[in-house]
């Protein structure tokens, strides 16, 4: 019995695939690197955006048409968010919901024996200290909690991931130390909202970061996305945690809009000024901070004046990284009942914001030309060379280095997306 796992979406989803792979391996089921070699194919789905949904639907249809004798098992967010559509496109597919990963081997075995097995629904099963097979031998992803405390009107992911379920700090520390002892040099702490960690258990994200960053070994810690509304009450301690030498100076803090009116419609539960207060605190105390954000362009209630406020905020804060999404209705999301703004207007706004974004990032990166920076080599480049990450988590393309290694790099060239340099 041979299984191929195909993964879409975020770091959290990638970690789910690593768990499924670990469980299958424990059961003696062979994992293969090609669809052609597999008896069964697990498609781990993402459903956060419409283009991704369309890509996944086409992929499931293609797999069924091209490999009629192979078993198809669908996992991930689509199972919980849109089971009716999944039933229509894959009536013979088995399912593994994102909260049912512990049943992966059982579903695969039964499916390969000709049954259609569908495991879905919510549970409080921990995703820490369970079998995993890493996608990257030197990067270890730990899911610190699942679910969120938000009610964002545009989001369907919360219907798949459920309410907040934080995992104990001691368990997370134990998994991190084992990964470090195994040779991992980067620990990624991930969640739908890392700043919500511990709100249900009485623990705090700042304490978790400090505990992990003080473990023995040579490694770096990357902290995943934080919702601004959950940082208040832990801000000072979080900044202290980010000051630790093993923590990347990288803050992923989605704003979504620069307009308080739009943020209120989105039910983000924070204001622009509250967001800026967090940014000012981090930037005042952490040198060379990389500030990443997410922005939705064309939310149904976004006026031209609202969009101008977003542009003004981007110019003011000079984000180092911006993920821009054009608004699209999502299954079950509250905002899907609203009328879309004209697509041409949305496209125009997205283009304008993208142009400003690239100019800002290019200008910010130019400041680094000629500097000598500490970096961690973590992977091969897709177009040759190797990728090293600075302490601020900025990628540098560099040649003639080893994976993994801590190096010092002289920056020879900069672009709007990466740096290029040579090892000193």
């Amino acid at each position: 019995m041979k299984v191929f796992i195909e993964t879409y979406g975020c770091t959290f989803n990638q970690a789910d695939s690593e768990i499924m792979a670990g469980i299958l391996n424990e059961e003696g089921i062979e994992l293969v690197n090609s669809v052609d070699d597999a008896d069964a194919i697990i498609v781990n789905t993402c459903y956060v955006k419409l283009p991704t949904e369309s890509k996944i639907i086409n992929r499931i249809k293609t797999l069924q048409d091209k490999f009629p004798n192979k078993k198809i098992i669908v996992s991930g967010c689509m199972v919980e968010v849109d089971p009716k559509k999944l039933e229509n496109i894959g009536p013979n597919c088995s399912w593994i919901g994102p909260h049912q990963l512990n049943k992966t081997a059982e579903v695969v075995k039964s499916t390969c024996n000709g049954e259609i097995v569908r495991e879905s629904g919510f549970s409080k099963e921990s995703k820490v200290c369970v079998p995993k097979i890493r996608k990257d031998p030197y990067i270890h992803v730990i899911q610190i909690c699942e679910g969120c405390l938000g009610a964002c009107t545009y989001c369907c992911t919360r219907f798949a991931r459920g309410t907040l379920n934080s995992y104990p700090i001691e368990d997370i520390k134990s998994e991190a130390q084992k990964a470090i002892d195994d040779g991992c040099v980067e620990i990624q702490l991930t969640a739908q909202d890392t700043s919500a960690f511990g709100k249900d258990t009485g623990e705090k994200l700042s304490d978790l970061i400090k505990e992990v960053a003080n473990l023995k070994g040579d490694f770096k810690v990357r902290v995943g996305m934080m919702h601004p509304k959950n940082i208040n009450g832990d801000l000072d301690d979080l900044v202290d945690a980010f000051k630790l030498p093993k923590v990347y100076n990288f803050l992923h803090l989605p704003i979504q809009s620069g307009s308080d009116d739009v943020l209120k419609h989105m039910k983000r539960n924070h204001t622009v000024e509250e967001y800026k207060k967090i940014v000012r605190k981090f930037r005042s105390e952490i040198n060379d901070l990389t500030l990443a954000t997410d922005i939705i362009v064309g939310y149904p209630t976004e006026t031209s004046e609202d969009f101008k406020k977003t542009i003004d905020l981007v110019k003011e804060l000079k984000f180092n990284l911006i993920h821009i999404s054009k608004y699209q209705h999502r299954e079950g999301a509250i905002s899907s009942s609203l009328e879309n703004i004209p697509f041409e207007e949305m496209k125009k706004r997205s283009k304008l914001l993208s142009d400003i974004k690239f100019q800002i990032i290019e200008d910010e990166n130019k400041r680094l030309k000629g500097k000598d920076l500490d970096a961690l080599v973590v992977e091969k480049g897709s177009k040759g060379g190797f990728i090293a990450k600075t302490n601020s988590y900025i990628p540098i393309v560099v040649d003639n280095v080893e994976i993994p290694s801590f190096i010092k790099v002289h920056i020879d060239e900069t672009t709007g997306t990466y740096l290029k340099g040579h090892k000193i």
Side-chain angles (χ1 to χ4, degrees):
M1 193 181 305
K2 299 178 180 180
V3 179
F4 174 74
I5 302 176
E6 189 167 294
T7 310
Y8 296 85
C10 63
T11 303
F12 199 95
N13 225 33
Q14 292 166 20
D16 275 354
S17 288
E18 293 182 352
I19 291 174
M20 287 190 286
I23 290 170
L24 293 174
N25 183 63
E26 292 256 310
E27 288 291 318
I29 297 171
E30 184 180 353
L31 296 159
V32 295
N33 296 318
S34 167
V35 172
D36 294 325
D37 297 333
D39 302 308
I41 304 158
I42 297 177
V43 182
N44 191 3
T45 62
C46 171
Y47 225 60
V48 68
K49 297 178 182 179
L50 185 59
T52 309
E53 173 193 333
S54 300
K55 182 178 180 180
I56 286 167
I57 287 172
N58 289 335
R59 181 58 172 163
I60 293 171
K61 289 178 178 177
T62 299
L63 288 172
Q64 292 175 109
D65 292 341
K66 191 173 180 180
F67 304 104
N69 296 322
K70 296 182 188 290
K71 303 298 183 182
I72 311 296
I73 300 163
V74 180
S75 65
C77 289
M78 187 179 186
V79 171
E80 294 291 351
V81 176
D82 210 350
K84 288 184 179 178
K85 187 172 287 183
L86 181 52
E87 170 67 43
N88 287 335
I89 64 166
N92 297 318
C93 293
S94 290
W95 302 350
I96 305 171
H99 296 269
Q100 303 297 326
L101 304 188
N102 60 327
K103 297 175 182 173
T104 299
E106 173 189 325
V107 172
V108 168
K109 289 176 182 177
S110 297
T111 302
C112 286
N113 285 330
E115 300 177 46
I116 297 175
V117 184
R118 292 175 175 176
E119 296 288 352
S120 59
F122 296 92
S123 78
K124 293 292 184 180
E125 288 280 337
S126 178
K127 292 185 175 180
V128 180
C129 296
V130 297
K132 286 182 181 177
I133 293 182
R134 298 182 199 96
K135 178 183 177 183
D136 187 307
Y138 304 113
I139 298 175
H140 189 80
V141 181
I142 303 179
Q143 296 151 302
I144 64 173
C145 57
E146 185 162 16
C148 72
L149 296 171
C152 299
T153 58
Y154 52 82
C155 179
C156 68
T157 302
R158 62 194 181 94
F159 303 128
R161 298 297 177 173
T163 56
L164 182 64
N165 181 29
S166 300
Y167 308 131
I169 287 178
E170 284 303 314
D171 290 351
I172 295 167
K173 274 178 61 182
S174 176
E175 179 171 325
Q177 187 64 69
K178 184 179 184 304
I180 295 160
D181 293 343
D182 287 345
C184 290
V185 293
E186 183 171 301
I187 302 295
Q188 297 186 357
L189 304 178
T190 189
Q192 278 73 61
D193 170 18
T194 60
S195 61
F197 173 81
K199 302 287 185 186
D200 55 334
T201 60
E203 295 186 309
K204 295 198 307 180
L205 177 62
S206 57
D207 290 336
L208 170 60
I209 296 169
K210 290 172 185 177
E211 292 281 357
V212 173
N214 281 311
L215 291 172
K216 293 180 181 178
D218 294 325
F219 64 95
K220 299 288 285 188
V221 178
R222 193 197 77 174
V223 182
M225 184 184 76
M226 299 183 195
H227 193 308
K229 78 182 181 71
N230 289 320
I231 289 179
N232 290 329
D234 197 22
L235 178 56
D236 290 343
D237 288 337
L238 272 173
V239 172
D240 286 342
F242 270 73
K243 288 178 182 177
L244 293 171
K246 290 180 181 176
V247 179
Y248 281 117
N249 301 335
F250 176 81
L251 179 65
H252 184 184
L253 195 68
I255 180 66
Q256 305 301 4
S257 173
S259 163
D260 282 335
D261 286 342
V262 175
L263 291 177
K264 187 175 181 180
H265 280 291
M266 290 178 168
K267 293 190 176 179
R268 291 287 290 172
N269 293 328
H270 66 84
T271 65
V272 172
E273 185 51 43
E274 287 167 342
Y275 181 93
K276 292 199 294 193
K277 176 186 172 185
I278 296 169
V279 171
R280 285 195 293 265
K281 177 69 174 175
F282 269 91
R283 279 183 164 166
S284 69
E285 299 198 32
I286 297 175
N287 294 327
D288 301 320
L289 179 77
T290 290
L291 177 61
T293 199
D294 300 356
I295 292 175
I296 295 173
V297 172
Y299 185 80
T301 65
E302 181 186 78
T303 65
S304 296
E305 183 59 32
D306 291 324
F307 179 66
K308 183 180 181 302
K309 289 177 181 178
T310 298
I311 293 291
D312 291 342
L313 183 71
V314 168
K315 290 180 177 179
E316 177 186 350
L317 294 185
K318 297 186 185 302
F319 297 100
N320 305 94
L321 185 64
I322 307 176
H323 304 286
I324 300 172
S325 299
K326 291 190 282 290
Y327 174 84
Q328 291 166 323
H329 291 326
R330 302 307 300 125
E331 182 68 27
I334 296 169
S335 60
S336 295
S337 62
L338 302 174
E339 185 177 347
N340 272 327
I341 69 171
F343 182 72
E344 285 303 316
E345 176 62 24
M346 192 184 301
K347 199 163 81 169
K348 178 182 171 184
R349 293 179 190 179
S350 179
K351 174 69 165 58
L352 176 58
L353 184 58
S354 294
D355 290 344
I356 294 169
K357 156 192 158 177
F358 282 118
Q359 188 59 58
I360 289 172
I361 295 172
E362 188 174 16
D363 290 344
E364 290 296 301
N365 281 351
K366 280 179 182 177
R367 297 185 302 105
L368 300 174
K369 188 172 182 179
K371 289 193 174 184
D372 297 336
L373 303 175
D374 292 322
L376 170 59
V377 184
V378 289
E379 61 186 320
K380 286 187 176 181
S382 59
K383 297 180 181 178
F386 298 85
I387 304 297
K389 297 290 178 65
T390 70
N391 288 336
S392 303
Y393 209 67
I394 300 172
I396 309 173
V397 178
V398 60
D399 294 321
N400 303 317
V401 293
E402 295 181 353
I403 303 175
S405 60
F406 289 86
I407 62 173
K408 190 173 282 291
V409 184
H410 181 81
I411 305 304
D412 301 311
E413 182 183 334
T414 67
T415 72
T417 52
Y418 64 89
L419 310 175
K420 194 167 185 179
H422 67 270
K423 179 182 174 182
I424 299 173

